[in-house]
Amino acid sequence: MATEDKKELAVAGDGAKKKRTTIIIAAVVAVVLIVAAVVIGVTMFGGPDVATLKAECATVSDDLRVAQNEYNGLVNGDAATASAYTKDDVNDAKTLDALNKELSVETPALASCNVDADSEYQSAIDGIKRNTTWYQEHTKTLQAAVDAVTASLK
């Protein structure tokens, strides 16, 4: 084999190596870009992070505490006073029945931010919000029943 043939083969071999190296580098860059896109996508669109969920849970828990305090204050205050009246004290005995019915409703089960896993925060937040709504609605209906009894006093 002539020296020139060896040079041509060497140049051809170098070209193939460069082509292979270019393909490998392109593949590595593509993988890095895909991984970066996935990480950015999950970060931006993957939902709130745990710190955000903990903060939201604390906020809705405080809202629940306020709603419970208002309800319990009414139950132990004006509603307790109104429920002490007898049928002889009011013009319409049905108002006492309605008040007693409102007082006999069962309060919702405890919902709190004490969760076993970070993935359970959203469920806890939803439960706390449901309970807050329950207390707010029943405070209104209980207040209406108390007002009805008070308006019916002789």
Side-chain angles (χ1 to χ4, degrees):
M1 206 179 248
T3 308
E4 246 180 71
D5 290 338
K6 287 182 182 179
K7 284 183 182 178
E8 284 179 25
L9 286 174
V11 169
D14 286 343
K17 284 182 184 178
K18 285 182 183 179
K19 192 174 188 180
R20 221 178 297 132
T21 304
T22 304
I23 291 173
I24 291 172
I25 291 173
V28 169
V29 169
V31 168
V32 168
L33 289 175
I34 290 171
V35 168
V38 168
V39 169
I40 290 170
V42 168
T43 302
M44 293 180 71
F45 304 109
D49 62 352
V50 174
T52 302
L53 290 172
K54 284 181 181 180
E56 183 180 358
C57 202
T59 300
V60 297
S61 290
D62 195 46
D63 294 344
L64 174 59
R65 181 190 54 78
V66 169
Q68 285 174 319
N69 287 345
E70 289 175 4
Y71 178 79
N72 290 331
L74 180 58
V75 167
N76 297 320
D78 291 345
T81 301
S83 68
Y85 294 124
T86 65
K87 294 182 183 204
D88 295 333
D89 297 324
V90 294
N91 291 320
D92 184 3
K94 291 179 184 178
T95 60
L96 288 175
D97 294 337
L99 175 62
N100 289 328
K101 182 180 178 185
E102 283 295 323
L103 287 170
S104 68
V105 297
E106 190 174 329
T107 58
L110 176 66
S112 72
C113 294
N114 296 332
V115 295
D116 294 328
D118 293 344
S119 62
E120 297 174 1
Y121 272 108
Q122 191 58 55
S123 177
I125 290 167
D126 293 343
I128 292 168
K129 286 180 178 180
R130 276 191 305 276
N131 285 3
T132 301
T133 300
W134 185 95
Y135 279 104
Q136 290 168 338
E137 289 173 356
H138 280 80
T139 299
K140 289 176 186 174
T141 57
L142 181 58
Q143 184 64 57
V146 169
D147 292 346
V149 169
T150 303
S152 181
L153 287 174
K154 291 182 183 179

